[in-house]
Every structure is written in structure tokens, then in C-alpha cells.
């Protein structure tokens, strides 16, 4: 009750804060996140890392809109071969005859990666990123094309026009080849050499979980997005707290996307108690877990800020450092029809929109809830960038 009252009081006296706190589309900021983020903004302004609170709230609100647009584009990557930038409903011929994509996990990765971009924007620090869920690359590529963070190979082929985005979604899982046998599309089913910022393919469960703590050298920073499915495959990552050393390791922010499903099955973590069980397990292994809202990019950004701050503070007494670990709880496929079902792993709709009128209506209904008008999206991208 006290949290509710404090959040409400802040909204009453600060219109810019209230504008962000209202959320956007399917993006909601719970009262605890509102208070956490407000404290973070105050700290960033006091330290001179963000120009002023007004700028911070503008960037936070922008991240909500970019997140919504990213989820909208991910849904199109799976199902459509055309994008209508005016938000009009798609027709039968606009859909792929054979849809494909790890849609649920990719939808979950959009708020996570948007939160990473948001934190970089808030404090002016460009961090590296790593993703254990390499098959969720659609989220990375979708947000990168929206904000213009692309390798040359992507930038020469895609942009935010209707034509550019239609080419983008058509290329996803297209399997087309050039005359010399090379792939025509720079998009892949997993992170590849053309994915801006990508450092590992992320296809084999557990590799990122083992490598992330060793990757950043002193004075470098890394955000590692980890898979709850991989957590159950490879147990070596439990030793990560023993491997981070203040004298030669950079700041690392591991964040597990806890969507409760391993491929299309319920995860063992969920069956053993979910976030509470995982929190206890991590503490027993020397971690310092932090509960995050995996549906909210602001909560992800706050988590990165707090985890880095804890490592920096603990570095003065290395023996006392416990490795922070964000638990970003969400629902697989959040924000789109089919969320939380077995189908959400790959194709969340009950049928193929190219052949099924009900599935087509559900797609149009789901994407309409995520759509961001071009002028509003332009403003949001400019603010975030």
C-alpha cells in the first residue's frame, strides 16, 4: 500500500514522470518499478550522467514506444511478407504461405533488448551484449532496424520505409540463395555475423551462460541475456560468482528471461517454484539475485544500473562481492495472441493467416494493439538515439 501511495504522489506532482508511468499499449509500469526508476533517474542526474530528469522521462517514454513497435515487427517477421506502415490490416496475400520463427521467445527479448538500449541512452555508455537465446535474433534485428543500429550489410538492404520493412520481413526465413550459392538474406535464424553487436551465435544451450562472466575485461561492460531453458541444460554457470574478479573483470549484468517455458514445455524452474525457487538456488550458489519485470524495458534498464552499481561498490572489498543476477519474469510470447501456450514457442496463432480467416483476424488484432504511428515512432527513435 505504501508503494502505491508513493508512486501516486509522484505522478500527481510530476507530469513528465506521470506521462511515462502511464505506459504505452501493452507496456505497463507497476508501482514498484515506478519508484525504482525514479530513484535511478535521480541518481543519474545527480552524477551528471543524464542531462536532467525531463530528458530521462522522455527517453523512458520513447523506449516504451520503440518496444511496442519492435514487438509489432517481430510478429510480422514470422507471419507476413508485407508491412503496412499506416497500421492498416493485412490481407490474405500479405501473409507468408509457410510462416516460421521462434516467435514467443523473440517477443520476450524485445523488452529486454530495448531496456539495454534504454540504459545506454540514459547514461551515455555503450555496453556489449550477449544472448544465450540465439534463436530470438528477430528481436535484436527488429529493434536494430528501427533505431538504425545496423551493420553495412543490413543498412544497404533495409530501412523504416514500407518497402524497406517489407523486404526485411520477407527475408526472414526466406532460404533464398544468390547464384554463387551464398544466402541472399543477411538475416538468420540465429545471431550471425551481420547482426549488429552480435558476438556469439547462441545456438547451443549453455555456451553463453558459461562464457558471459569471462567476456568483459576491466573497464568494459556486458549485458548477458540468459535462457531459463539453457539454465536447465548446463549447470556450469552456477560457478560464475567464483570466476568474476574485481581486479581484472569488467562489469557484467546477467539477466535470465524467465518465461516459464523450455521450447514448448513448462520449465523445471516453473514446476519447482518459479522465481522464488530460482532466487533461493542462486543465493545458495553465491549470486545476488534481483527480481525484474521482464515485460517492461524500464525494469530491465533499472536492473542493469543496479547490478553495475553493486559490482562497483563491492569491488572495493572483493572478498564480499556476490555476482548480481537479474530474474526477468514474463510470459512466453507476452503481448501477442497465444501468449503462455505451448504454441507460443514458434507459431502462436491457431492457424496460418494465409489460409485461416480466424488466425488472420487474430494477427491483425494483435498487431493493432502494438502498432505505433510513424510520426510518434520517429519522435521516440530520435529521443532514444
Amino acid at each position: 500500500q505504501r508503494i502505491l501511495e508513493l508512486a501516486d504522489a509522484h505522478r500527481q506532482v510530476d507530469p513528465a514522470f506521470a506521462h511515462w508511468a502511464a505506459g504505452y499499449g501493452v507496456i505497463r509500469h507497476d508501482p514498484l518499478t515506478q519508484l525504482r526508476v525514479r530513484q535511478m533517474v535521480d541518481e543519474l542526474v545527480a552524477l551528471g550522467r543524464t542531462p536532467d530528469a525531463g530528458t530521462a522521462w522522455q527517453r523512458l517514454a520513447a523506449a516504451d514506444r520503440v518496444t511496442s513497435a519492435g514487438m509489432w515487427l517481430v510478429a510480422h517477421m514470422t507471419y507476413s511478407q508485407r508491412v503496412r506502415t499506416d497500421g492498416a490490416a493485412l490481407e490474405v496475400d500479405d501473409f507468408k504461405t509457410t510462416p516460421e520463427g521462434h516467435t514467443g521467445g523473440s517477443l520476450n527479448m524485445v523488452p529486454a533488448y530495448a531496456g539495454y538500449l534504454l540504459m545506454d541512452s540514459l547514461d551515455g555508455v555503450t555496453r556489449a551484449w550477449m544472448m544465450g537465446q540465439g534463436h530470438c535474433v528477430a528481436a535484436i534485428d527488429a529493434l536494430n532496424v528501427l533505431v538504425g543500429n545496423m551493420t553495412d550489410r543490413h543498412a544497404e538492404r533495409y530501412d523504416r520505409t514500407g518497402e524497406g520493412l517489407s523486404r526485411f520481413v520477407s527475408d526472414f526465413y526466406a532460404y533464398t540463395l544468390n547464384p554463387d550459392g551464398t544466402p541472399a538474406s543477411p538475416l538468420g535464424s540465429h545471431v550471425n555475423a551481420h547482426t549488429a553487436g552480435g558476438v556469439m551465435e547462441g545456438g547451443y544451450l549453455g555456451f553463453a551462460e558459461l562464457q558471459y562472466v569471462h567476456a568483459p575485461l576491466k573497464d568494459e561492460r556486458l549485458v548477458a541475456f540468459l535462457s531459463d531453458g539453457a539454465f536447465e541444460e548446463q549447470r556450469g554457470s552456477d560457478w560464475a560468482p567464483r570466476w568474476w574478479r574485481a581486479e581484472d573483470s569488467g562489469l557484467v549484468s546477467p539477466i535470465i528471461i524467465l518465461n516459464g517455458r523450455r521450447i514448448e514445455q513448462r520449465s523445471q524452474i516453473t514446476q519447482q517454484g518459479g522465481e522464488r525457487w530460482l532466487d533461493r538456488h542462486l543465493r545458495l550458489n553465491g549470486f545476488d539475485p534481483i527480481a525484474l519485470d521482464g515485460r517492461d524495458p524500464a525494469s530491465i534498464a533499472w536492473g542493469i544500473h543496479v547490478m553495475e552499481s553493486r559490482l562497483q561498490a563491492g569491488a572495493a572489498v572483493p572478498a564480499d562481492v556476490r555476482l548480481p543476477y537479474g530474474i526477468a519474469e514474463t510470459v512466453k510470447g507476452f503481448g501477442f495472441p497465444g501468449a503462455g501456450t505451448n504454441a507460443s514457442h514458434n507459431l502462436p496463432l491457431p492457424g496460418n493467416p494465409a489460409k485461416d480467416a480466424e488466425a488472420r483476424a487474430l494477427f491483425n488484432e494483435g498487431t493493432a494493439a502494438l502498432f505505433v504511428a510513424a510520426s510518434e515512432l520517429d519522435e521516440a527513435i530520435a529521443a532514444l538515439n
Side-chain angles (χ1 to χ4, degrees):
Q1 184 62 33
R2 181 59 175 161
I3 292 174
L4 288 170
E5 292 172 353
L6 284 172
D8 183 62
H10 287 311
R11 291 194 302 271
Q12 295 294 329
V13 300
D14 189 341
F17 170 76
H19 173 67
W20 162 74
Y24 185 89
V26 301
I27 310 299
R28 294 285 182 268
H29 310 296
D30 63 43
L32 177 58
T33 298
Q34 291 179 35
L35 294 184
R36 285 173 162 180
V37 171
R38 186 175 181 89
Q39 182 181 28
M40 174 182 72
V41 168
D42 289 344
E43 290 177 9
L44 293 174
V45 172
L47 294 170
R49 296 178 186 169
T50 296
D52 53 67
T55 299
W57 299 125
Q58 183 185 33
R59 292 174 183 173
L60 281 148
D64 290 349
R65 286 145 182 82
V66 170
T67 298
S68 191
M71 295 170 70
W72 173 85
L73 189 53
V74 162
H76 281 74
M77 291 172 76
T78 294
Y79 284 107
S80 78
Q81 57 189 356
R82 178 180 179 181
V83 168
R84 294 180 183 265
T85 55
D86 61 356
L90 298 189
E91 305 293 342
V92 174
D93 294 340
D94 295 330
F95 292 96
K96 296 175 179 177
T97 55
T98 307
E100 191 65 70
H102 295 81
T103 313
S106 296
L107 288 168
N108 290 158
M109 270 304 304
V110 173
Y113 185 65
Y116 155 84
L117 293 175
L118 171 60
M119 194 61 237
D120 286 0
S121 176
L122 286 172
D123 68 1
V125 176
T126 300
R127 296 158 176 83
W129 63 269
M130 182 184 290
M131 181 171 62
Q133 309 90 314
H135 59 273
C136 297
V137 69
I140 308 293
D141 286 334
L143 285 170
N144 278 347
V145 74
L146 290 177
V147 303
N149 176 38
M150 292 181 282
T151 58
D152 291 342
R153 186 73 175 85
H154 279 207
E156 68 188 13
R157 192 170 176 88
Y158 312 124
D159 55 39
R160 284 194 292 114
T161 65
E163 181 183 0
L165 291 181
S166 292
R167 185 183 302 115
F168 178 76
V169 300
S170 295
D171 275 359
F172 189 59
Y173 273 93
Y175 300 114
T176 53
L177 300 176
N178 293 319
D180 64 358
T182 58
S185 166
L187 300 179
S189 64
H190 288 66
V191 175
N192 67 26
H194 304 300
T195 305
V199 294
M200 69 175 298
E201 188 252 7
Y204 190 86
L205 292 180
F207 274 23
E209 284 70 16
L210 288 172
Q211 294 181 30
Y212 75 85
V213 77
H214 303 290
L217 303 178
K218 192 171 178 62
D219 299 324
E220 296 177 344
R221 304 189 191 200
L222 171 73
V223 177
F225 299 107
L226 308 177
S227 160
D228 53 359
F231 178 91
E232 298 175 1
E233 281 278 334
Q234 305 288 349
R235 303 304 322 125
S237 60
D238 285 346
W239 282 65
R242 297 166 173 83
W243 295 328
W244 190 88
R245 295 181 295 272
E247 62 271 20
D248 62 8
S249 297
L251 301 180
V252 60
S253 301
I255 300 174
I256 191 170
I257 309 300
L258 193 69
N259 60 29
R261 289 185 177 270
R262 176 183 175 188
I263 309 180
E264 74 280 1
Q265 306 167 354
R266 291 180 69 216
S267 66
Q268 184 178 350
I269 295 173
T270 298
Q271 296 181 65
Q272 289 183 320
E275 189 271 335
R276 288 190 177 186
W277 177 89
L278 180 59
D279 181 282
R280 182 172 180 272
H281 174 86
L282 291 169
R283 291 184 188 279
L284 288 172
N285 282 277
F287 289 94
D288 180 16
I290 302 169
L292 305 174
D293 185 349
R295 302 160 298 179
D296 184 349
S299 183
I300 300 295
W302 175 85
I304 295 169
H305 172 71
V306 168
M307 284 189 277
E308 290 183 347
S309 298
R310 290 186 183 181
L311 279 180
Q312 288 172 321
V317 191
D320 294 337
V321 176
R322 293 175 67 86
L323 189 67
Y325 194 105
I327 304 175
E329 197 164 10
T330 185
V331 175
K332 192 154 192 177
F334 167 74
F336 194 71
T341 66
N342 289 347
S344 67
H345 169 67
N346 191 32
L347 302 174
L349 298 178
N352 183 350
K355 304 173 183 177
D356 185 293
E358 179 188 358
R360 192 159 57 249
L362 274 175
F363 175 91
N364 284 321
E365 178 185 334
T367 53
L370 299 168
F371 177 71
V372 183
S375 59
E376 189 172 12
L377 182 57
D378 288 342
E379 292 178 5
I381 291 167
L384 196 64
N385 282 352

